[in-house]
């Protein structure tokens, strides 16, 4: 693909093209089965200048996806950076509501569709949550976050969304879900990546064992499910 994507750990994604967007890339997480923001990645994020990060998006405010303290630091370093996410005040952007639950805006040369989705797990259903379509440099990326109702997006918004998605990022539970498999078919996705995994030394819930099962059991009519490598470009 034309875009370059760096994956630190957990759900962090740094998407680099004509614009640079960091999604769920400032986080905590150790102690709940996920990993802290790696120090090397922290230095890369906070050691550059504002031109390196045009926008930060967050799917929701759980600590393995988001850290308020680190966001405040980033906003001081990059005052012109766009910030958007549930329960956050949108900064340096003018989002507009395309349909109930669907918001559009631009981050430089990146068009963003933020779709309200339901966080998976009954105990988290009331947590405000977004999943994102990002279109940049002729490529479209879908970032699921922890959304559980992804199979309804095509029916709900139809022509308001991109017709095709080049790359889909799903978590472990989504990889097993039939409604997510339908989402992939609906948008004729070309590449499917499994993310939202901790470093192996932090894996106290055997997520990596389940990840192997997800890869082996992924439907054969879909593109193969690949696990993202931590602290690496893809």
């Amino acid at each position: 693909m034309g875009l370059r994507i760096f994956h630190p750990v957990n759900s962090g994604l740094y998407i680099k093209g004509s614009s640079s967007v960091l999604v769920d890339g400032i986080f905590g997480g150790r102690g709940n089965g996920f990993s802290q923001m790696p120090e090397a990645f922290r230095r890369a994020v906070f050691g550059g200048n504002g031109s390196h990060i045009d926008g930060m998006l967050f799917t929701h405010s759980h600590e393995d996806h988001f850290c308020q303290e680190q966001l405040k630091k980033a906003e001081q370093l990059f005052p012109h950076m766009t910030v958007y996410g549930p329960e956050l005040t949108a900064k340096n952007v003018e989002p507009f509501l395309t349909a109930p639950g669907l918001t559009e805006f631009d981050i430089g040369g990146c068009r963003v569709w933020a779709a309200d989705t339901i966080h998976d797990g009954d105990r988290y259903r009331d947590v405000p949550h977004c999943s994102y379509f990002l279109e940049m440099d002729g490529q479209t990326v879908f970032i699921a976050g922890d959304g559980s109702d992804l199979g309804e997006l095509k029916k709900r918004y139809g022509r308001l969304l991109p017709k095709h998605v080049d790359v889909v990022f799903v978590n472990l539970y989504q990889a097993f879900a039939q409604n997510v498999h339908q989402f992939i078919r609906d948008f004729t996705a070309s590449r499917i990546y499994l993310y939202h995994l901790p470093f192996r030394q932090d894996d106290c819930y055997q997520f990596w064992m389940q990840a192997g099962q997800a890869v082996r059991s992924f439907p054969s009519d879909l593109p193969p499910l690949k696990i993202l490598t931590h602290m690496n470009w893809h």
Side-chain angles (χ1 to χ4, degrees):
M1 61 185 288
L3 303 179
R4 298 183 70 209
I5 300 177
F6 186 85
H7 175 54
V9 71
N10 296 356
S11 294
L13 296 169
Y14 175 67
I15 302 172
K16 174 66 175 174
S18 56
S19 296
S20 300
V21 182
L22 186 60
V23 185
D24 285 351
I26 293 182
F27 51 84
R30 183 165 292 160
N32 63 356
F34 292 98
S35 300
Q36 290 288 98
M37 186 175 176
E39 185 57 34
F41 186 65
R42 188 192 311 276
R43 290 196 301 269
V45 169
F46 294 113
N49 57 57
S51 64
H52 291 164
I53 301 177
D54 297 304
M56 289 190 181
L57 304 175
F58 298 93
T59 59
H60 61 298
S61 60
H62 284 167
E63 70 167 336
D64 53 320
H65 297 254
F66 173 77
C67 176
Q68 182 69 56
E69 180 182 353
Q70 296 295 335
L71 177 58
K72 288 181 179 178
K73 180 179 179 181
E75 290 175 324
Q76 292 172 352
L77 287 172
F78 314 138
H80 301 295
M81 176 183 69
T82 293
V83 177
Y84 186 90
E87 301 182 293
L88 291 176
T89 300
K91 294 185 177 180
N92 298 318
V93 66
E94 295 183 3
F96 60 94
L97 191 66
T98 305
L102 181 67
T103 302
E104 286 189 49
F105 53 93
D106 292 320
I107 301 175
C110 178
R111 170 54 60 103
V112 179
W113 290 261
D116 291 346
T117 46
I118 299 172
H119 194 298
D120 61 20
D122 290 342
R123 63 185 292 192
Y124 299 125
R125 290 183 65 85
D126 294 331
V127 174
H129 186 281
C130 278
S131 300
Y132 294 100
F133 295 82
L134 277 64
E135 188 175 77
M136 179 165 46
D137 300 346
Q139 300 284 313
T140 302
V141 174
F142 178 75
I143 301 164
D146 288 344
S148 66
D149 55 340
L150 307 183
E152 299 299 314
L153 291 178
K154 189 74 169 183
K155 298 176 185 177
R156 191 183 307 161
Y157 299 121
R159 291 178 294 178
L160 298 174
L161 294 173
K163 294 180 180 179
H164 167 74
V165 172
D166 295 282
V167 183
V168 172
F169 294 94
V170 297
N171 70 20
L172 182 59
Y173 303 107
Q174 293 157 350
F176 288 104
Q178 292 184 9
N179 79 88
V180 176
H181 302 160
Q182 187 58 48
F183 172 93
I184 294 168
R185 296 184 183 100
D186 286 344
F187 288 94
T188 60
S190 305
R191 300 183 185 183
I192 321 298
Y193 288 111
L194 177 61
Y195 79 149
H196 204 342
L197 294 171
F199 290 127
R200 289 182 183 271
Q201 63 266 27
D202 298 325
D203 184 15
C204 57
Y205 295 118
Q206 297 186 318
F207 289 139
W208 275 93
M209 182 185 71
Q210 297 174 62
Q213 295 171 348
V215 169
R216 291 189 295 272
S217 65
F218 205 63
S220 59
D221 67 307
L222 298 178
L225 178 66
K226 298 181 180 180
I227 300 175
L228 279 188
T229 305
H230 293 145
M231 294 298 291
N232 214 332
W233 287 97
H234 299 270

